Every structure is written in structure tokens, then in C-alpha cells.
């Protein structure tokens, strides 16, 4: 019963947090993240985490991007035992660094944690389909599996624009998409919707 309750707590709070109709979304999301992390901490001691649980961790990283006005993309890397060994989020605006994508940040963190550039047997969870740069970093790090959330129609390299992982490279990880895709997409929509609203307000003030 406790397993079922913990699963419901995590998924139902996040479902409401990412709903388009929710008011005061970010304050509610922050409080729901605290509740989610508490429940996930208990679950780690009791049962293995699911793909959705790890993607929720990536979404919590993505939420931190709002503070620096970066596009909200989050990533975590999990080793073969199920332990999160790397975390990252998009910091391109924060650091004015074109390479500071969530996947690259998480890979650097995981390599520091393991003291190795090889991440064989690891799974990468990211809220948005990887771009060409991140796809290359994933292959170079020897990551075994990629789980992503929302599609990226402009730069996605897991099939949206092209699939670099289908090319004849010597190392090709397994690719799976659509994990909590709606939640990932809703976060992106709120971010870009906020930019459009601010632009409209600024334009109206200039009239």
C-alpha cells in the first residue's frame, strides 16, 4: 500500500503542477517538488525508481532554469545500480556559454563523480530531445541508453530532424522518447508564453 501511495503522490502532484490551467504554477510547483523529493527519497529505500521517477528528477532540474531565464531543460544520469551520478540543466544564458546544455552539464558532473570519461552502462534522462552537440557528447561518453521527454522539432537528433544515433558511428546508445513528454512540453510552453507576454507588455508601454 505504501508503494502505491508514494507513486500516486509523485504523479498526481506533478500532473497538477504541470497543468495549463493551474494558477500560480511556479510557487505550487516548488512546493510540490519538495513533496515529490520527500516521497522519492523514501521510495529509493524501498523500491527501485521507474523511468518516470528519474524524469521527474530531470524536470526538477529544468524548473531551476526559470531563475536565470534559460530555456527549461533538465537532465540526470543514472548508473547501472540506479543511482543518480550526474545532474545538469541548461545554463546557456546564465553563463553566456553556448555549450552549457543540460546534457553536457550532466555528463561533466557524472564524469567528475566517477573519475572517468566513460559512462558505460549509464542511462541519461533529459526533458527535451538532444541536439547535435549533445548527441555527440552522449556517444563520446559511451552512455548506453537515452530517455527523453518532449520532441525538439528544430534541432532534435533522435528522429525529429534526423537521427544521429542511426548513423554508422562505432557507438550507438538505445533511444527512447516520450517519457513525461506532456509535462516537459508544458514547462517549455509556459516559459516561451511568458516571454511573449512580457514582449507584448513592453510593446504596449511603448505605444
Amino acid at each position: 500500500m505504501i508503494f502505491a501511495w508514494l507513486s500516486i503522490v509523485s504523479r498526481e502532484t506533478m500532473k497538477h503542477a504541470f497543468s495549463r490551467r493551474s494558477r500560480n504554477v511556479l510557487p505550487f510547483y516548488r512546493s510540490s517538488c519538495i513533496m515529490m523529493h520527500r516521497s522519492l527519497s523514501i521510495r529509493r529505500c524501498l523500491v527501485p525508481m521507474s523511468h518516470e521517477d528519474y524524469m521527474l528528477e530531470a524536470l526538477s532540474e529544468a524548473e531551476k532554469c526559470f531563475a536565470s531565464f534559460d530555456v527549461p531543460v533538465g537532465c540526470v544520469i543514472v548508473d547501472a545500480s540506479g543511482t543518480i551520478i550526474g545532474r545538469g540543466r541548461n545554463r546557456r544564458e546564465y553563463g553566456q556559454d553556448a555549450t552549457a546544455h543540460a546534457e553536457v552539464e550532466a555528463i561533466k558532473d557524472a564524469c567528475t563523480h566517477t573519475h572517468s570519461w566513460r559512462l558505460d552502462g549509464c542511462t541519461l534522462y533529459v526533458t527535451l530531445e538532444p541536439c547535435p552537440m549533445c548527441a555527440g557528447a552522449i556517444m563520446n561518453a559511451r552512455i548506453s541508453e537515452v530517455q527523453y521527454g518532449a520532441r525538439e522539432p528544430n534541432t532534435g537528433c533522435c528522429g525529429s530532424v534526423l537521427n544521429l544515433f542511426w548513423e554508422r558511428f562505432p557507438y550507438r546508445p538505445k533511444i527512447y522518447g516520450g517519457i513525461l513528454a506532456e509535462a516537459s512540453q508544458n514547462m517549455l510552453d509556459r516559459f516561451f508564453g511568458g516571454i511573449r507576454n512580457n514582449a507584448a507588455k513592453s510593446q504596449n508601454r511603448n505605444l
Side-chain angles (χ1 to χ4, degrees):
M1 289 296 294
I2 189 170
F3 298 159
W5 179 82
L6 289 170
S7 180
I8 290 170
V9 166
S10 296
R11 288 178 175 81
E12 289 303 312
T13 54
M14 295 306 292
K15 180 179 179 182
H16 182 72
F18 292 118
S19 170
R20 293 174 182 272
R21 299 179 181 178
S22 297
R23 295 181 178 180
N24 300 320
V25 173
L26 289 180
F28 177 84
Y29 174 66
R30 292 188 182 97
S31 63
S32 67
C33 274
I34 295 172
M35 188 175 182
M36 176 192 72
H37 280 297
R38 286 174 180 169
S39 65
L40 290 181
S41 296
I42 298 172
R43 287 193 67 191
R44 289 192 192 100
C45 300
L46 300 174
V47 292
M49 292 174 68
S50 67
H51 293 308
E52 289 79 8
D53 293 328
Y54 289 121
M55 191 60 79
L56 287 175
E57 294 280 351
L59 282 164
S60 73
E61 291 296 320
E63 195 271 341
K64 299 173 185 177
C65 295
F66 283 92
S68 58
F69 303 101
D70 276 293
V71 176
V73 182
C75 180
V76 297
I77 295 175
V78 180
D79 68 12
S81 71
T83 302
I84 295 176
I85 60 171
R87 293 177 177 273
R89 62 181 182 272
N90 182 25
R91 296 173 183 260
R92 188 167 57 176
E93 294 295 334
Y94 177 80
Q96 291 301 297
D97 181 354
T99 68
H101 286 197
E103 298 96 319
V104 174
E105 296 285 300
I107 288 170
K108 289 179 179 179
D109 191 33
C111 289
T112 299
H113 181 88
T114 60
H115 304 289
S116 174
W117 63 269
R118 289 181 175 271
L119 300 176
D120 307 75
C122 293
T123 300
L124 180 145
Y125 293 84
V126 63
T127 59
L128 187 64
E129 182 180 2
C131 71
M133 176 183 69
C134 294
I138 288 166
M139 287 187 284
N140 278 298
R142 304 295 192 268
I143 289 171
S144 300
E145 185 175 312
V146 174
Q147 299 271 357
Y148 70 88
R151 288 272 189 180
E152 170 48 278
N154 297 316
T155 62
C157 284
C158 294
S160 290
V161 176
L162 77 165
N163 194 333
L164 282 178
F165 300 107
W166 283 353
E167 301 301 323
R168 294 194 304 163
F169 293 109
Y171 190 86
R172 291 178 289 182
K174 297 177 181 178
I175 307 296
Y176 303 93
I179 304 296
L180 298 184
E182 184 177 358
S184 300
Q185 188 61 55
N186 285 349
M187 182 178 284
L188 291 165
D189 290 344
R190 287 198 304 275
F191 175 80
F192 288 111
I195 290 177
R196 287 192 292 270
N197 290 337
N198 291 335
K201 290 177 183 178
S202 177
Q203 186 176 17
N204 289 336
R205 285 196 296 268
N206 293 331
L207 293 177

